[in-house]
């Protein structure tokens, strides 16, 4: 894999990182690497004195931003000794209110990277609050946490920026000045990105998950060797089944993007011991493409009920299921129950899932959404707003007879039968 540039400050075009398409490919991600110098460690009580930021994508430096900031107070002697930034240097520099809009524009749409990111992000968030600016809540990547996740303690006893710069031999050494430290952090970031590719991390989403874990944790070799099982998985919504050596189903799951989800099991972002054990036993991954999430959810639960895969927690409690059924009354509505009766759509693993299915069904079926009981004769309620919107014919007000309303339940029955036919092929 081509390496990022040795010097982040060069600004030259270099070969981009070659990651597979998975989630948001790292070569397409724009990072703004930031460093702040401040008058102290508390964003509530101290102020920013210097900003340095470098924008990079695919190993190329896209731009830099650097400025001193007048904090409106004197710079403490300890900070002067550490950074070399004196009160005289910042007096007459732009105030933060002037600089902040430019910095936020520079950061727009990018991932915020910093060494000890919570510190820098905390100061910027506090600055936005003080100056009535909306904090854009960018994705944050801490290179200190990423280093601890990628490097062993034997290789990197310390993950301080200076220690990592020495470890990687960066061209720019950190000096406690904002732009120099930001440039050094860019080089450290690129060296760490070289390492995460070897761990199977290929997308921004996996990178952020790895850094959040903040511990050196590599996928076992037997897991990494099985990455090829995901080679032919389609990028579509549906259900996936991991199968073992005897073709037994080990695990069943659903995803809006099967390829991305299945491949995540073979990377360092997957930290669940139970799932690593499952993947180490897998010999094949089968997928079933579905038209929408409702179909995928029904298939998943029925496959779990049929195969009782040992790595699915739900298979330990197969009786815990929810169903969608029509009520037994003159003007039936959809109800969520735990004891099915025909026609019943399900099973669903949670009441919430069944309730979401009801909302989807009401868009397709001519059934009412209200919960009141409507008498078969002489209903006299007032029509609700749904009638005014043309989404209900108001049987509650006598504007629709029992006979006119009746076709809604057979329509549900037909939908249930269609799902049974679909799912029977998979089970």
């Amino acid at each position: 894999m081509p390496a990022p540039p040795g010097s982040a400050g060069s600004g030259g075009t270099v070969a981009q990182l070659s990651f597979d398409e998975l989630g948001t490919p790292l070569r397409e991600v724009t990072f703004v690497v930031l460093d702040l110098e401040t008058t102290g460690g508390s964003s509530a009580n101290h102020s920013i004195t210097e900003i340095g930021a470098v924008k990079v994508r695919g190993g190329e430096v896209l731009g830099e931003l650097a400025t001193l900031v007048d904090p409106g107070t004197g710079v403490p002697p300890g900070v002067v000794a550490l950074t070399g930034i004196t009160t005289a240097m910042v007096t007459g520099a732009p105030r933060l209110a002037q600089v902040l809009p430019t910095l936020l524009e520079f950061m727009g749409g990018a991932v915020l990277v910093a060494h000890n990111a919570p510190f820098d992000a905390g100061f910027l968030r506090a600055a936005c609050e003080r100056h009535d600016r909306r904090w854009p809540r960018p994705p944050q990547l801490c290179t200190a946490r990423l280093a601890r996740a990628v490097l062993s303690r034997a290789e990197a006893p310390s993950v301080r920026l200076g220690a990592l710069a020495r470890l990687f031999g960066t061209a720019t050494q950190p000096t406690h000045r904002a732009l120099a430290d930001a440039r050094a952090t860019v080089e450290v970031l690129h060296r760490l990105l070289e390492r995460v590719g070897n761990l199977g991390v290929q997308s921004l989403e996996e990178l952020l998950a790895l850094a959040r874990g903040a511990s050196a944790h590599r996928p076992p070799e037997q897991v990494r060797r099985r990455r090829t099982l995901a080679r032919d998985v389609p990028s579509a919504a549906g259900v996936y089944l991991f199968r073992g050596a005897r073709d037994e189903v080990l695990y069943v799951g659903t995803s809006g993007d099967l390829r991305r989800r299945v491949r995540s099991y073979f990377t360092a972002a997957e930290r669940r011991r139970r799932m690593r054990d499952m993947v180490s036993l897998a010999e094949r991954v089968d997928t079933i493409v579905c038209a929408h999430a409702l179909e995928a959810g029904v298939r998943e639960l029925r496959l779990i009920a049929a195969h009782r895969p040992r790595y699915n927690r739900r298979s330990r409690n197969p009786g815990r299921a929810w169903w969608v059924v029509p009520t037994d009354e003159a003007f039936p509505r959809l109800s969520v129950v735990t004891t099915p009766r025909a026609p019943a759509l399900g099973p669903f693993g949670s009441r919430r899932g069944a309730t979401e299915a009801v909302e989807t069904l009401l868009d397709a079926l001519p059934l009412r959404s209200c919960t009141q009981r409507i008498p078969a004769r002489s209903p006299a309620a007032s029509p609700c707003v749904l009638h005014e919107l043309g989404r209900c014919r108001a049987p509650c007000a006598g504007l629709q007879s029992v006979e006119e309303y009746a076709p809604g339940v057979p329509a549900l029955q037909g939908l249930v039968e269609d799902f049974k036919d679909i799912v029977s092929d998979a089970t």
Side-chain angles (χ1 to χ4, degrees):
M1 179 177 64
S7 172
S10 64
T13 301
V14 297
Q16 293 184 340
L17 301 174
S18 58
F19 293 97
D20 291 341
E21 300 300 324
L22 172 61
T24 307
L26 288 175
R27 66 172 176 270
E28 297 177 6
V29 176
T30 300
F31 298 99
V32 167
V33 182
L34 177 76
D35 186 78
L36 302 178
E37 300 302 331
T38 66
T39 59
S42 168
S43 61
N45 303 317
H46 298 104
S47 303
I48 297 171
T49 58
E50 189 176 34
I51 296 171
V54 182
K55 183 180 294 186
V56 296
R57 183 174 61 241
E60 179 183 356
V61 174
L62 304 180
E64 294 183 341
L65 184 153
T67 182
L68 288 166
V69 179
D70 185 348
T73 62
V75 180
V79 174
V80 174
L82 179 67
T83 67
I85 299 174
T86 66
T87 301
M89 291 172 61
V90 296
T91 300
R95 299 298 293 268
L96 188 57
Q98 299 172 265
V99 175
L100 190 58
T102 302
L103 176 60
L104 293 176
E105 182 179 359
F106 187 76
M107 291 168 49
V111 176
L112 175 62
V113 181
H115 207 73
N116 190 12
F119 174 87
D120 299 271
F123 266 88
L124 289 185
R125 185 167 54 250
C128 286
E129 292 174 359
R130 284 196 207 98
H131 298 287
D132 296 322
R133 291 277 175 176
R134 185 184 67 84
W135 172 239
R137 298 175 63 86
Q140 295 178 29
L141 175 64
C142 177
T143 46
R145 293 178 66 89
L146 181 61
R148 183 47 67 211
V150 171
L151 306 173
S152 69
R153 291 190 181 273
E155 183 179 11
S158 169
V159 292
R160 296 180 65 180
L161 182 59
L164 293 175
R166 288 191 295 273
L167 173 66
F168 292 128
T170 61
T172 304
Q173 291 295 309
T175 61
H176 292 293
R177 292 299 300 270
L179 185 58
D181 286 10
R183 287 171 171 170
T185 304
V186 168
E187 294 188 63
V188 168
L189 172 66
H190 286 156
R191 295 299 177 266
L192 294 173
L193 291 181
E194 293 176 359
R195 301 291 188 95
V196 301
N198 295 330
L199 299 181
V201 173
Q202 302 171 350
S203 71
L204 172 62
E205 293 78 5
E206 291 176 314
L207 182 67
L208 297 177
L210 177 63
R212 282 195 297 269
S215 63
H217 194 89
R218 295 170 178 264
E221 182 60 30
Q222 65 267 33
V223 171
R224 285 183 279 148
R225 284 201 304 265
R226 284 173 164 74
R227 292 176 193 161
T228 56
L229 298 181
R231 182 187 305 154
D232 299 323
V233 173
S235 294
V239 183
Y240 57 92
L241 300 86
F242 280 86
R243 293 184 179 269
R246 297 186 299 277
D247 211 36
E248 73 278 18
V249 176
L250 302 172
Y251 184 79
V252 179
T254 65
S255 177
D257 186 331
L258 290 169
R259 179 177 175 80
R260 175 178 167 183
R261 182 69 188 101
V262 170
R263 292 186 64 170
S264 72
Y265 286 94
F266 304 96
T267 71
E270 177 53 75
R271 296 180 176 276
R272 294 171 294 175
R273 176 63 181 271
R274 180 171 56 92
M275 289 295 97
R276 290 190 180 281
D277 291 344
M278 181 275 293
V279 172
S280 69
L281 298 174
E283 296 292 335
R284 191 173 92 240
V285 179
D286 293 339
T287 58
I288 305 165
V289 174
C290 298
H292 44 68
L294 177 59
E295 178 188 343
V298 172
R299 283 177 178 265
E300 177 195 30
L301 286 163
R302 291 190 173 176
L303 285 164
I304 290 173
H307 295 284
R308 301 287 298 277
R310 59 174 162 157
Y311 289 97
N312 279 91
R313 294 191 188 279
R314 286 184 198 167
S315 65
R316 300 174 189 175
N317 300 290
R320 289 187 183 177
W322 297 84
W323 303 77
V324 175
V325 301
T327 57
D328 185 14
E329 54 186 312
F331 296 95
R333 59 183 176 81
L334 296 178
S335 179
V336 175
V337 300
T338 55
T339 303
R341 59 179 182 275
L345 183 64
F348 295 89
S350 66
R351 183 182 183 89
R352 179 179 177 180
T355 301
E356 290 175 350
V358 168
E359 294 173 357
T360 301
L361 290 169
L362 289 175
D363 288 335
L365 299 175
L367 296 174
R368 63 189 177 97
S369 60
C370 61
T371 58
Q372 63 179 305
R373 180 169 284 275
I374 304 174
R377 301 189 180 205
S378 304
S382 298
C384 66
V385 67
L386 292 178
H387 175 66
E388 296 177 13
L389 295 174
R391 296 180 59 184
C392 179
R393 293 181 58 188
C396 62
L399 302 181
Q400 185 179 27
S401 68
V402 172
E403 292 74 22
E404 291 171 331
Y405 184 89
V409 174
L412 174 64
Q413 176 70 57
L415 185 61
V416 171
E417 294 302 323
D418 288 343
F419 269 118
K420 285 182 179 178
D421 291 341
I422 291 170
V423 176
S424 64
D425 294 337
T427 56

